[in-house]
Amino acid sequence: MSTPDPHVTAFAEIFGAPPAGFAVPVDWDAVESWLGTRLPADYKAVASAYGPLDIGERLWLHMPCAHAGWFDYGTWVEQNRRAAPGVLPFGATRTADTLFWDTTASSDPDRWPVVMHCQDDANAGRDPWRPFDAPLVETLARFVADGLRPVLARSAMLAELEATAWAPPPRRPEPTPQQRAALAAGSGLQTLTALVPPPAAPQLGERSWQWLHERLGTRLPGEYVRLMETYGAGCWAGWLRFADPFAEDQYALAPWAEWYAKTYAELRADHPEYHPLAVWPEPGGFLPFADSIDGDQLCWLTEGSDPDAWPLIVVPRHADQGPALRDGGLVDTLLEWLRGRLVTHGLPPLSRPHEDPLDHIGFEPFEEDPDGDGA
């Protein structure tokens, strides 16, 4: 008989024994190599024996696994470890708090104390960080002493977990000297392509610029045409999406611009104080051509007969309407936003002060729709 793991024994004394014969496969060497650090022994032992857990109907203990369409450990870790220097997430609560280890406290992972980021405090403008000064199992024991119910349930992720061990994603390539130089200075499309290499085959759809100009009833700025012919449809930095200009599905440029203009005009009729702009094809109306994942719109103000002179404007979803972006054209506006020098409603900063912007700058082309129907 194998000797019981002391960490599992300590956990079981609080929450009960793990399910018989149950285990989620984990390649801990691969996980730790991807993270760039060893993980606490108590966490690895408990996660291996119990799998992802719902503890006390209050707290989730996450582990390296994937649930198609709902949870991926790597994505979750990368999103949350950005919260502060040196934190590494391992769990969450039902009130949107996140549980971390403070990896700066010790070179020994078994001595990493637990800290919690409290979302209610963050929303109220208070210090959101609550230190517990103890490792995982000891912290959980304190939670139980403070009223957390010592009951367990298998996380809902177990319903459709992938059968094989979670595979870490490829590491992001190290930034090149050319990218560093482009991040610091320069303008125009040549600098943008040095900062963010474009795809080999930009996706533009099956139609043409002439078709699009006829559909919209206007020529578009040449800078936009050159940008799209270089990068095609896709998403910048996981936030700003440039629609396919030559497609006809509901999310392509022309159908989306037409639908959004109609919807905005209807809202303006009822609430002009919140929707003050003219919309294309009204004189000087805005014409949307890109949107954020949060529903903000990047648009041209169609002022005058020369599209190359049209200023840009952001129509924010969760803020009052601001003025046009008067400094620079589309490419330089995109560059300054990627660099973190342009911050406005709808175009938030991509990185935090302790982060390297090049860890978050990139372009992901949209996958081509083989049926051409946007499905």
Coordinates of all heavy atoms in Angstrom, one line a residue, residues 324-371:
A324 N -14.0 64.0 -31.4 CA -13.3 63.3 -32.4 C -11.8 63.1 -31.9 O -11.3 63.9 -31.1 CB -13.4 64.0 -33.7
L325 N -11.2 62.1 -32.4 CA -9.7 62.0 -32.2 C -9.0 62.8 -33.3 O -8.8 62.3 -34.4 CB -9.3 60.5 -32.3 CG -10.2 59.5 -31.4 CD1 -9.7 58.1 -31.6 CD2 -10.0 59.9 -29.9
R326 N -8.6 63.9 -33.0 CA -8.1 64.9 -34.0 C -6.6 64.7 -34.3 O -6.2 65.3 -35.3 CB -8.3 66.3 -33.5 CG -9.8 66.7 -33.3 CD -10.5 66.9 -34.6 NE -11.9 67.2 -34.5 CZ -12.7 67.4 -35.5 NH1 -12.3 67.2 -36.7 NH2 -14.0 67.7 -35.3
D327 N -5.9 64.0 -33.5 CA -4.4 63.9 -33.8 C -4.1 62.6 -34.5 O -4.2 61.5 -33.9 CB -3.7 63.9 -32.4 CG -3.9 65.3 -31.7 OD1 -4.0 66.3 -32.5 OD2 -3.9 65.3 -30.5
G328 N -3.7 62.7 -35.7 CA -3.2 61.5 -36.4 C -4.3 60.7 -37.2 O -5.5 60.8 -36.9
G329 N -3.8 59.9 -38.2 CA -4.7 59.1 -38.9 C -4.9 57.8 -38.3 O -4.5 57.5 -37.1
L330 N -5.5 56.9 -39.0 CA -5.9 55.6 -38.5 C -4.7 54.8 -38.0 O -4.7 54.2 -36.9 CB -6.7 54.8 -39.5 CG -7.0 53.3 -39.2 CD1 -7.8 53.2 -37.9 CD2 -7.8 52.7 -40.4
V331 N -3.7 54.6 -38.8 CA -2.5 53.8 -38.5 C -1.8 54.4 -37.3 O -1.5 53.6 -36.3 CB -1.6 53.6 -39.7 CG1 -0.2 53.0 -39.2 CG2 -2.2 52.8 -40.8
D332 N -1.6 55.7 -37.2 CA -0.9 56.2 -36.1 C -1.7 56.2 -34.8 O -1.2 56.1 -33.7 CB -0.4 57.7 -36.4 CG 0.7 57.7 -37.4 OD1 1.4 56.7 -37.5 OD2 1.0 58.8 -38.0
T333 N -3.1 56.3 -35.0 CA -3.9 56.2 -33.8 C -3.8 54.7 -33.3 O -3.8 54.5 -32.1 CB -5.4 56.5 -34.2 OG1 -5.5 57.8 -34.6 CG2 -6.4 56.2 -33.1
L334 N -3.8 53.8 -34.2 CA -3.7 52.4 -33.8 C -2.3 52.2 -33.1 O -2.2 51.5 -32.0 CB -3.8 51.5 -35.0 CG -3.9 50.0 -34.8 CD1 -5.0 49.6 -33.9 CD2 -4.1 49.3 -36.1
L335 N -1.3 52.7 -33.6 CA 0.1 52.6 -33.0 C 0.1 53.2 -31.6 O 0.6 52.6 -30.7 CB 1.1 53.3 -33.9 CG 1.8 52.6 -35.0 CD1 2.6 53.5 -35.9 CD2 2.7 51.5 -34.4
E336 N -0.4 54.4 -31.5 CA -0.4 55.0 -30.2 C -1.2 54.3 -29.1 O -0.9 54.2 -28.0 CB -0.9 56.5 -30.3 CG 0.1 57.4 -31.0 CD 1.5 57.4 -30.3 OE1 1.6 58.2 -29.4 OE2 2.4 56.7 -30.8
W337 N -2.4 53.7 -29.6 CA -3.2 52.9 -28.6 C -2.4 51.7 -28.2 O -2.4 51.3 -27.0 CB -4.5 52.6 -29.3 CG -5.3 51.6 -28.5 CD1 -5.8 51.7 -27.2 CD2 -5.7 50.2 -28.9 NE1 -6.5 50.6 -26.8 CE2 -6.4 49.7 -27.8 CE3 -5.5 49.5 -30.0 CZ2 -6.9 48.4 -27.9 CZ3 -6.0 48.2 -30.1 CH2 -6.7 47.7 -29.0
L338 N -1.8 51.0 -29.2 CA -1.0 49.8 -28.9 C 0.1 50.1 -27.9 O 0.5 49.3 -27.1 CB -0.5 49.1 -30.1 CG -1.6 48.5 -31.1 CD1 -0.9 48.1 -32.4 CD2 -2.3 47.3 -30.4
R339 N 0.7 51.2 -28.1 CA 1.8 51.6 -27.2 C 1.4 52.1 -25.8 O 2.2 52.2 -24.9 CB 2.6 52.8 -27.9 CG 3.4 52.4 -29.1 CD 3.8 53.7 -29.9 NE 4.7 53.4 -31.0 CZ 5.0 54.1 -32.0 NH1 4.3 55.3 -32.1 NH2 5.9 53.8 -32.9
G340 N 0.1 52.3 -25.7 CA -0.4 52.8 -24.4 C -0.4 54.3 -24.2 O -0.6 54.8 -23.1
R341 N -0.2 55.0 -25.3 CA -0.1 56.5 -25.2 C -1.5 57.1 -25.5 O -1.7 58.3 -25.2 CB 0.9 57.0 -26.1 CG 2.3 56.5 -25.8 CD 3.3 56.9 -26.9 NE 4.6 56.2 -26.8 CZ 5.5 56.2 -27.7 NH1 5.3 56.8 -28.9 NH2 6.7 55.6 -27.5
L342 N -2.4 56.4 -26.0 CA -3.7 56.8 -26.3 C -4.7 56.0 -25.5 O -4.8 54.8 -25.6 CB -4.1 56.7 -27.8 CG -5.5 57.0 -28.2 CD1 -5.9 58.4 -27.9 CD2 -5.8 56.6 -29.6
V343 N -5.4 56.7 -24.6 CA -6.4 56.1 -23.8 C -7.6 56.9 -23.8 O -7.6 58.1 -23.5 CB -5.9 55.9 -22.3 CG1 -7.0 55.3 -21.4 CG2 -4.6 55.1 -22.2
T344 N -8.7 56.3 -24.3 CA -10.0 57.0 -24.3 C -11.1 55.9 -24.1 O -10.8 54.7 -24.2 CB -10.2 57.7 -25.6 OG1 -11.4 58.5 -25.6 CG2 -10.3 56.7 -26.8
H345 N -12.3 56.4 -23.8 CA -13.4 55.4 -23.6 C -13.5 54.6 -24.9 O -13.6 55.1 -26.0 CB -14.7 56.1 -23.3 CG -14.7 56.8 -22.0 ND1 -14.6 56.1 -20.8 CD2 -14.9 58.1 -21.6 CE1 -14.7 56.9 -19.8 NE2 -14.8 58.2 -20.2
G346 N -13.5 53.3 -24.7 CA -13.6 52.4 -25.9 C -12.3 51.9 -26.3 O -12.2 50.8 -27.0
L347 N -11.2 52.6 -26.0 CA -9.8 52.1 -26.3 C -9.0 52.2 -25.0 O -8.2 53.1 -24.8 CB -9.2 53.0 -27.4 CG -9.8 52.9 -28.8 CD1 -9.1 54.0 -29.7 CD2 -9.7 51.5 -29.3
P348 N -9.2 51.2 -24.1 CA -8.6 51.3 -22.8 C -7.1 50.8 -22.9 O -6.7 50.3 -23.9 CB -9.4 50.2 -22.0 CG -9.8 49.2 -23.0 CD -10.1 50.1 -24.3
P349 N -6.3 51.1 -21.9 CA -4.9 50.6 -21.9 C -4.9 49.1 -22.0 O -5.7 48.4 -21.4 CB -4.4 51.1 -20.6 CG -5.5 51.4 -19.7 CD -6.7 51.8 -20.6
L350 N -3.9 48.6 -22.7 CA -3.8 47.1 -22.9 C -3.0 46.4 -21.8 O -3.1 45.3 -21.5 CB -3.1 46.8 -24.2 CG -3.9 47.3 -25.5 CD1 -3.1 47.2 -26.7 CD2 -5.2 46.6 -25.6
S351 N -2.1 47.2 -21.2 CA -1.2 46.6 -20.1 C -1.2 47.5 -18.9 O -1.5 48.7 -19.0 CB 0.2 46.4 -20.7 OG 0.8 47.7 -21.1
R352 N -0.7 46.9 -17.8 CA -0.6 47.6 -16.6 C 0.8 48.1 -16.4 O 1.7 47.7 -17.1 CB -1.0 46.7 -15.4 CG -2.5 46.3 -15.5 CD -2.8 45.2 -14.5 NE -4.2 44.9 -14.4 CZ -4.9 44.1 -15.2 NH1 -4.2 43.5 -16.1 NH2 -6.2 43.9 -15.0
P353 N 1.1 49.1 -15.5 CA 2.4 49.6 -15.4 C 3.5 48.6 -15.2 O 4.7 48.8 -15.6 CB 2.3 50.6 -14.2 CG 0.9 51.0 -14.2 CD 0.1 49.8 -14.6
H354 N 3.2 47.5 -14.5 CA 4.3 46.5 -14.2 C 4.4 45.5 -15.4 O 5.3 44.6 -15.3 CB 3.9 45.7 -12.9 CG 2.7 44.9 -13.0 ND1 1.4 45.5 -12.7 CD2 2.5 43.6 -13.3 CE1 0.5 44.5 -12.8 NE2 1.1 43.4 -13.2
E355 N 3.7 45.7 -16.5 CA 3.7 44.7 -17.5 C 4.5 45.2 -18.8 O 4.6 46.4 -19.0 CB 2.3 44.3 -18.0 CG 1.5 43.6 -16.9 CD 0.1 43.3 -17.4 OE1 -0.5 44.1 -17.9 OE2 -0.3 42.1 -17.2
D356 N 5.0 44.3 -19.6 CA 5.6 44.6 -20.8 C 4.5 44.7 -21.9 O 3.8 43.7 -22.1 CB 6.6 43.5 -21.2 CG 7.4 43.9 -22.5 OD1 7.0 44.8 -23.2 OD2 8.4 43.2 -22.8
P357 N 4.3 45.9 -22.5 CA 3.3 46.0 -23.5 C 3.4 45.0 -24.6 O 2.3 44.5 -25.1 CB 3.4 47.4 -24.1 CG 4.1 48.2 -23.0 CD 5.0 47.2 -22.3
L358 N 4.6 44.5 -24.9 CA 4.7 43.6 -26.0 C 4.2 42.2 -25.7 O 4.0 41.3 -26.5 CB 6.2 43.5 -26.5 CG 6.7 44.7 -27.3 CD1 8.1 44.6 -27.5 CD2 5.9 44.8 -28.6
D359 N 3.8 42.0 -24.4 CA 3.2 40.7 -24.0 C 1.7 40.7 -24.4 O 1.1 39.6 -24.4 CB 3.3 40.5 -22.5 CG 4.7 40.1 -22.0 OD1 5.5 39.7 -22.9 OD2 5.0 40.3 -20.8
H360 N 1.2 41.9 -24.8 CA -0.3 42.0 -25.1 C -0.6 42.6 -26.4 O -1.7 42.6 -26.8 CB -0.9 42.8 -24.0 CG -0.6 42.3 -22.6 ND1 -1.0 41.1 -22.1 CD2 0.2 42.8 -21.6 CE1 -0.5 40.9 -20.9 NE2 0.2 42.0 -20.6
I361 N 0.4 43.0 -27.1 CA 0.2 43.6 -28.5 C 0.3 42.4 -29.5 O 1.2 41.6 -29.5 CB 1.3 44.6 -28.8 CG1 1.1 45.8 -27.9 CG2 1.3 45.0 -30.2 CD1 2.3 46.9 -28.0
G362 N -0.7 42.4 -30.4 CA -0.7 41.4 -31.4 C -1.9 41.5 -32.3 O -2.8 42.4 -32.0
F363 N -2.0 40.7 -33.3 CA -3.1 40.7 -34.3 C -3.4 39.3 -34.6 O -2.6 38.5 -35.0 CB -2.8 41.5 -35.6 CG -3.9 41.4 -36.6 CD1 -5.0 42.3 -36.5 CD2 -3.8 40.5 -37.7 CE1 -6.0 42.2 -37.4 CE2 -4.8 40.5 -38.6 CZ -5.9 41.3 -38.5
E364 N -4.7 39.0 -34.4 CA -5.2 37.6 -34.7 C -6.2 37.6 -35.8 O -7.3 38.2 -35.7 CB -5.9 37.0 -33.4 CG -6.3 35.6 -33.5 CD -5.1 34.6 -33.6 OE1 -4.0 35.0 -33.0 OE2 -5.2 33.6 -34.2
P365 N -5.8 37.1 -37.0 CA -6.7 37.1 -38.1 C -8.0 36.3 -37.8 O -7.9 35.3 -37.1 CB -5.9 36.5 -39.3 CG -4.5 36.5 -38.8 CD -4.5 36.4 -37.3
F366 N -9.1 36.7 -38.4 CA -10.3 35.9 -38.3 C -10.2 34.7 -39.2 O -9.5 34.8 -40.2 CB -11.5 36.7 -38.7 CG -11.9 37.8 -37.7 CD1 -12.5 39.0 -38.2 CD2 -11.6 37.7 -36.4 CE1 -12.9 40.0 -37.3 CE2 -12.0 38.7 -35.5 CZ -12.6 39.9 -36.0
E367 N -10.8 33.6 -38.7 CA -10.8 32.4 -39.6 C -11.7 32.6 -40.8 O -12.8 33.2 -40.6 CB -11.2 31.2 -38.8 CG -10.2 30.8 -37.7 CD -10.6 29.5 -37.0 OE1 -11.6 28.9 -37.4 OE2 -9.9 29.2 -36.0
E368 N -11.3 32.2 -41.9 CA -12.1 32.4 -43.1 C -13.3 31.5 -43.0 O -13.2 30.3 -42.6 CB -11.3 32.1 -44.4 CG -12.1 32.4 -45.6 CD -11.2 32.3 -46.9 OE1 -10.0 32.0 -46.7 OE2 -11.7 32.6 -48.0
D369 N -14.5 32.0 -43.4 CA -15.7 31.2 -43.4 C -15.8 30.5 -44.8 O -16.0 31.2 -45.8 CB -16.9 32.1 -43.2 CG -18.2 31.4 -43.3 OD1 -18.2 30.1 -43.3 OD2 -19.3 32.0 -43.4
P370 N -15.6 29.2 -44.8 CA -15.6 28.5 -46.1 C -17.0 28.6 -46.9 O -17.0 28.5 -48.1 CB -15.3 27.1 -45.8 CG -15.7 26.9 -44.3 CD -15.5 28.2 -43.7
D371 N -18.1 28.8 -46.1 CA -19.4 28.9 -46.8 C -19.8 30.3 -47.2 O -20.8 30.5 -47.9 CB -20.5 28.3 -45.9 CG -20.2 26.8 -45.5 OD1 -19.7 26.1 -46.4 OD2 -20.4 26.4 -44.4

